[in-house]
Amino acid sequence: MVKRTRKEAARLDEAARAGWLYYCAGNTQDEIATKLGVSRPTAQRLVSAAISEGLVKVRLDHPIARCMELAASLCKEYGLANCDVVPTDPAAPDAMFGMTQTAATYLERVLQSPDPKIIAVGTGRAMRGMVDEVQRVDARHHKIVSLVGTIAHDGAASFYDAVTDLADRTRAPHYPLPIPVIVESANVRAQMQQQPPMDNIMHLAAKADVRFVGVGDLGVDAPLYIDGFISKDELRSLQKNGGIGEVVSWSFDENGVILDHDVNHRVTSAPIHIPAQNTIAVAKGAKKVAAIRGAMRGKLITTLITDEATAEALLHA
């Protein structure tokens, strides 16, 4: 088997995607160009490459075909606007690479827009991994805003904050939330968010053109607990009240309903739009299946980027 560079592998995947859309889904080249965020000539070259690389026979002879079928099924089942499913590496089922690379492609398409955009970003491993894959570009006409606080109770900064790194890669002005993820009372939260510059950051987050978020579970090793944002007693209380997952620290139940719970009353994150507006979730893993399903049921996200094993689990519960 010929070893390919990362760039060659990415090109082959794009060709396979274009080939599937053209030969299997019956899309025109104009439709393919729109869906892939490329020009029509590029779409035409990708379709041609699918043939020249031997990917298209009677069916698309490439693993991504199954992934795209799963993505289409998830869109239909959960009413998603879009979905991308990447292959699962059996030897490394927890590896983030394929998923975060795909997410970076989504983000780069936004960054390439000539029109100014407000790009809102959550935190966590998936967000940090996505930003790590983004190519450096001069995108100073955009604004990058954080959706969630970046500090724990003891003042420690979040290791997985992605906004500052993204700003460094794009030279875009950025607006972090340098406040605790969860504060001691709802009154304190209100006071914080009404003070400059927090009020401006919340205003920008509310107007965001696109939002990139992770999805966290509320199991025994929930990110909110492991990262020091909530105590073990608070985690247990969330679980007792039906908590199954969280998006930018807002905890919800199996149907995606935001919990009426003391922890949520003290969360400083930007409010979630319900139904969501152009919100792209990047998440995978057996532990997160229930949380991802809840986020989709509750319309907390509009697009899902995940892997093959997670997609199978979401469709066969």
Side-chain angles (χ1 to χ4, degrees):
M1 184 177 180
V2 178
K3 289 196 69 174
R4 300 179 183 272
T5 66
R6 182 179 296 183
K7 185 175 181 180
E8 290 171 336
R11 174 184 169 277
L12 191 65
D13 275 1
E14 284 291 281
R17 192 181 303 274
W20 189 92
L21 288 169
Y22 188 80
Y23 292 102
C24 301
N27 285 203
T28 66
Q29 291 180 0
D30 284 332
E31 289 172 332
I32 293 169
T34 298
K35 290 181 178 180
L36 297 185
V38 300
S39 66
R40 189 180 186 282
T42 298
Q44 186 176 16
R45 286 194 294 272
L46 288 171
V47 172
S48 297
I51 294 290
S52 63
E53 293 286 354
L55 303 180
V56 176
K57 298 175 184 176
V58 176
R59 59 183 174 83
L60 188 61
D61 190 13
H62 191 281
I64 203 168
R66 174 57 180 158
C67 292
M68 295 185 77
E69 290 169 359
L70 288 168
S73 296
L74 283 170
C75 286
K76 182 178 180 181
E77 178 74 17
Y78 293 101
L80 296 172
N82 200 9
C83 180
D84 261 83
V85 176
V86 302
T88 300
D89 183 351
D94 295 326
M96 289 276 191
F97 173 70
M99 182 180 69
T100 54
Q101 186 185 45
T102 299
T105 300
Y106 272 73
L107 178 51
E108 287 172 344
R109 288 172 187 165
V110 180
L111 292 170
Q112 290 165 3
S113 170
D115 301 321
K117 301 290 184 184
I118 299 175
I119 304 167
V121 183
T123 188
R125 286 179 63 213
M127 294 295 96
R128 186 64 180 267
M130 172 185 72
V131 170
D132 285 345
E133 295 293 337
V134 171
Q135 298 297 312
R136 291 188 177 275
V137 62
D138 189 340
R140 66 185 75 191
H141 57 300
H142 300 313
K143 293 179 179 178
I144 301 168
V145 59
S146 180
L147 289 169
V148 61
T150 57
I151 300 174
H153 289 301
D154 62 0
S158 171
F159 181 74
Y160 296 113
D161 175 40
V163 167
T164 301
D165 190 19
L166 180 58
D168 179 62
R169 290 170 180 267
T170 61
R171 304 182 71 181
H174 65 294
Y175 302 81
L177 268 176
I179 56 177
V181 176
I182 299 170
V183 293
E184 57 265 32
S185 71
N187 286 337
V188 170
R189 177 182 72 177
Q191 292 171 4
M192 279 187 170
Q193 292 181 340
Q194 290 168 7
Q195 295 296 318
M198 295 303 120
D199 57 344
N200 181 54
I201 295 172
M202 288 294 165
H203 179 65
L204 287 172
K207 296 195 307 177
D209 295 288
V210 60
R211 298 167 180 82
F212 290 88
V213 301
V215 179
D217 68 284
L218 288 178
V220 293
D221 55 353
L224 280 178
Y225 168 61
I226 295 298
D227 292 341
F229 299 131
I230 61 174
S231 68
K232 182 173 289 187
D233 286 343
E234 288 171 329
L235 174 59
R236 288 171 176 164
S237 180
L238 286 168
Q239 294 169 339
K240 184 177 179 180
N241 283 269
I244 199 75
E246 54 90 8
V247 170
V248 292
S249 301
W250 292 103
S251 300
F252 55 85
D253 67 14
E254 63 181 357
N255 293 312
V257 176
I258 302 297
L259 298 179
D260 182 11
H261 188 279
D262 175 64
V263 169
N264 276 342
H265 298 165
R266 298 183 284 118
V267 167
T268 62
S269 304
I272 295 178
H273 292 279
I274 302 175
Q277 301 170 10
N278 204 14
T279 300
I280 300 167
V282 187
K284 60 172 283 187
K287 293 190 300 184
K288 294 189 176 186
V289 168
I292 297 169
R293 183 182 294 112
M296 293 190 294
R297 285 175 174 170
K299 307 301 180 186
L300 305 182
I301 63 175
T302 57
T303 294
L304 174 65
I305 301 173
T306 190
D307 75 336
E308 192 171 0
T310 305
E312 294 276 10
L314 287 166
L315 290 167
H316 299 100

